[in-house]
Amino acid sequence: MTAADPQSIRRAVDAVWKIESPRLIAGLVRIVRDVGLAEDLAQDALVAALETWPETGIPDKPGAWLMTAAKRRAVDHWRHLKLVDRKHEEIEHEQEDEEAALPDFERQIETALFQEAGDDDLLRLIFIACHPVLSTEARIALTLRLLGGLTTDEIARAYLVPEPTIAQRIVRAKRTLAQKRVPFETPDEATLAERLDSVLEVLYLIFNEGYSATAGEDWIRPALCQDALRLGRVLANLMPKESEVHGLVALMEFQASRLAARTGPDGEIVLLLDQDRRKWDRLMIRLGLESLERARAAAAAQGPYLLQAEIAACHAEAASAEEINWPRIVMLYELLGRIRPSPIVELNRAVAVCMAFGPETALPLVEALAEEPALTSYHLLPSVRGDFLFRLGRYAEARSAFDQAASLAANARERSFLLGRSRDCENRERGAVG
């Protein structure tokens, strides 16, 4: 034990909880077969640490201490349930059968108390938290709660929604898992692909909310990116033969390498081609390239995350914006559109076409997307169209497109950026007239 002041204890508890809570809850779910109860038991252990550690000091193995405390509370829970069962059976004059079963129950207690949570438990918990039976919002909230170690308040602040809303999502998610009797098991091969898609989608949604926040004053929230990347790496260690897991990790590592360059001194947006590449994290890029190699080696065929990682690698490996291999990026987007067709992919392909072959070639591609229902309220569609028109010198049309994009943008930084581009168009118009 190491003595420490109360503030240090609190920081230590918070740090340990962040690191150990996923494995702690995973081990408890295996024992009690109930996500809600497992989290309650883990929270009891956390309270016990806050009460005990200021007096005894921080344990040498704080994670193991929390696990033991939580398991002892699980045993107490079992004994209570068993006592209730015994009372019922006594009423029904079946006490002898109960007494005969008691030694087995005692062995179950001892097994649960000393059996450590393993990687299989953690993997199962990931698949439970991201189960397709839950809504996307519920999956995100539950994943950040159970696997990210975030409080409901932290999740609410990250997504700019009221704390009671996040709390309700988590409660409903646990209730749904219980009502649907979702088993605590790794999916069999027949359902693995579908379930893995859900897990990867949730992790990337969390990352993207940190990379380009959909609302609020800040454009980036690095902590969410870090949470998603950490969970992605955990999943990659648990599923080393899954190409798409490594592909997603590589994609997040490449994108995370640019975080420091994506905003200016006052938090203003700096676009990819205008970024100071000296601010890019070279270690993160190297890690991304290593993850990409693992994804390639494990791939029987190129999946969507592997292809997106290949696209991100084109940017990461270019020494300057002028050296980006845009024709290769166009080709990669074409491949991505074949295996995972979506209007967003087509919009990104149009941007690559513009950079590779000019705005006059790309503009018809964007205008063809104007009637896509999925893009009706998507601010980046008129933003991209405005950029193409600007490059073509059609400033009045570009200004109108940027104004439309700004009216659709929920993030304050993006809205300010788009209005700035609109003013730039207006200045160009005046200069042309003058």
Side-chain angles (χ1 to χ4, degrees), residues 394-416:
R394 294 160 60 175
Y395 300 122
E397 294 172 85
R399 177 161 59 90
S400 177
F402 285 130
D403 286 340
Q404 180 189 2
S407 70
L408 295 172
N411 183 276
R413 293 290 184 183
E414 283 193 289
R415 189 162 53 248
S416 175

Side-chain angles (χ1 to χ4, degrees), residues 48-68:
L50 290 171
E51 292 173 348
T52 304
W53 292 3
E55 298 295 328
T56 63
I58 305 167
D60 293 332
K61 296 181 178 180
W65 190 100
L66 286 172
M67 181 64 80
T68 299

Side-chain angles (χ1 to χ4, degrees), residues 304-320:
Y305 290 108
L306 173 53
L307 286 171
Q308 289 176 82
E310 295 279 11
I311 292 167
C314 290
H315 295 287
E317 293 182 300
S320 66

Side-chain angles (χ1 to χ4, degrees), residues 42-97:
Q43 290 288 339
D44 287 345
L46 178 63
V47 171
L50 290 171
E51 292 173 348
T52 304
W53 292 3
E55 298 295 328
T56 63
I58 305 167
D60 293 332
K61 296 181 178 180
W65 190 100
L66 286 172
M67 181 64 80
T68 299
K71 285 181 177 180
R72 290 193 183 280
R73 279 155 179 77
V75 170
D76 291 341
H77 174 76
W78 275 351
R79 290 188 184 278
H80 172 73
L81 292 181
K82 206 68 179 177
L83 179 61
V84 171
D85 288 344
R86 285 180 62 190
K87 291 299 183 185
H88 288 167
E89 291 180 3
E90 286 170 5
I91 292 172
E92 296 171 5
H93 308 289
E94 295 179 358
Q95 186 174 4
E96 289 184 3
D97 292 339

